[in-house]
Amino acid sequence: DVSATLDNQLLEAPFDLVTYWHVFEHLEELPNHRAQWPKLVRAGGFLIIEAPNIRSVGARLSYRSWLGSDEKHHINHQTPDAIIATLRTLGFEPARTEYFSGKFSYVYLWSALLGSLFGRQYDFAGIMSILKAPSRMLLARPLWTLNAMASVAYLAPLIVGLMLHGLATGQGEVLRVYAKNQPTQTAKAEVK
């Protein structure tokens, strides 16, 4: 039983490092989940969250087609400021923030530009199918797939420029925050 194994592993908390790599935006019971962070991460340990940045260049270009929006699955979007404020409220201090992901930045901007250029919401399932199985999509929807695949190349100069702009301004396609669990005065006294 997977859940029993996970529950047993959580009994070993606190941990030095807990990561939420594109999990945060999927959490259904966020307040209950957040309340566990100080218990899961030892004092001086780190919590790392990477999530779509709803204040990004791509989200502002065409939120409806931006793959980071994925309203069907991403039920818990928050601004970077709200995420950081929540972390601070729970005793975590951001040690570093980043706004780039090698896996997500390019495709998020690509999808937003496609939606912006063609003036409509882009087909999430279709885009994901191209990314996962391009040859199957070529057979199923040849012209649409060829256009989408070609746009990866012809939009490259614009996408790279927008990625650099996002990095420089904190408006990149993802937020990644490394937050250190700062021991409270009570926790410091207990350690001594």
Side-chain angles (χ1 to χ4, degrees), residues 2-121:
V2 174
S3 63
T5 302
L6 182 59
D7 289 343
N8 288 337
Q9 289 173 343
L10 291 176
L11 293 174
E12 298 174 19
F15 301 101
D16 293 329
L17 175 66
V18 173
T19 63
Y20 282 72
W21 227 252
H22 291 268
V23 172
F24 184 85
E25 64 273 20
H26 298 274
L27 297 174
E28 291 181 8
E29 297 179 18
L30 184 60
N32 295 336
H33 204 80
R34 285 189 307 221
Q36 300 305 310
W37 293 349
K39 299 172 193 166
L40 289 173
V41 181
R42 73 164 177 79
F46 284 87
L47 174 66
I48 303 174
I49 297 172
E50 182 175 293
N53 178 6
I54 62 170
R55 296 284 189 246
S56 74
V57 173
R60 288 180 293 134
L61 273 172
S62 181
Y63 187 81
R64 294 179 329 132
S65 64
W66 181 64
L67 283 175
S69 68
D70 190 6
E71 295 170 351
K72 183 177 178 183
H73 300 103
H74 294 177
I75 58 173
N76 181 39
H77 276 303
Q78 293 188 15
T79 66
D81 290 341
I83 293 170
I84 289 169
T86 297
L87 287 166
R88 286 190 169 128
T89 299
L90 295 169
F92 289 85
E93 186 57 36
R96 181 171 155 180
T97 55
E98 297 174 354
Y99 295 91
F100 175 80
S101 165
K103 182 175 184 179
F104 295 104
S105 291
Y106 196 95
V107 294
Y108 281 8
L109 279 166
W110 172 59
S111 65
L113 283 169
L114 287 175
S116 182
L117 289 172
F118 297 109
R120 61 184 171 83
Q121 180 170 349

Side-chain angles (χ1 to χ4, degrees), residues 152-190:
V152 169
Y154 69 71
L155 291 174
L158 184 54
I159 291 171
V160 170
L162 291 173
M163 282 193 312
L164 292 173
H165 172 75
L167 283 168
T169 62
Q171 297 172 39
E173 300 310 298
V174 300
L175 165 70
R176 185 180 310 131
V177 60
Y178 301 80
K180 186 175 185 179
N181 189 358
Q182 301 289 10
T184 62
Q185 293 301 322
T186 306
K188 287 180 186 175
E190 290 173 5

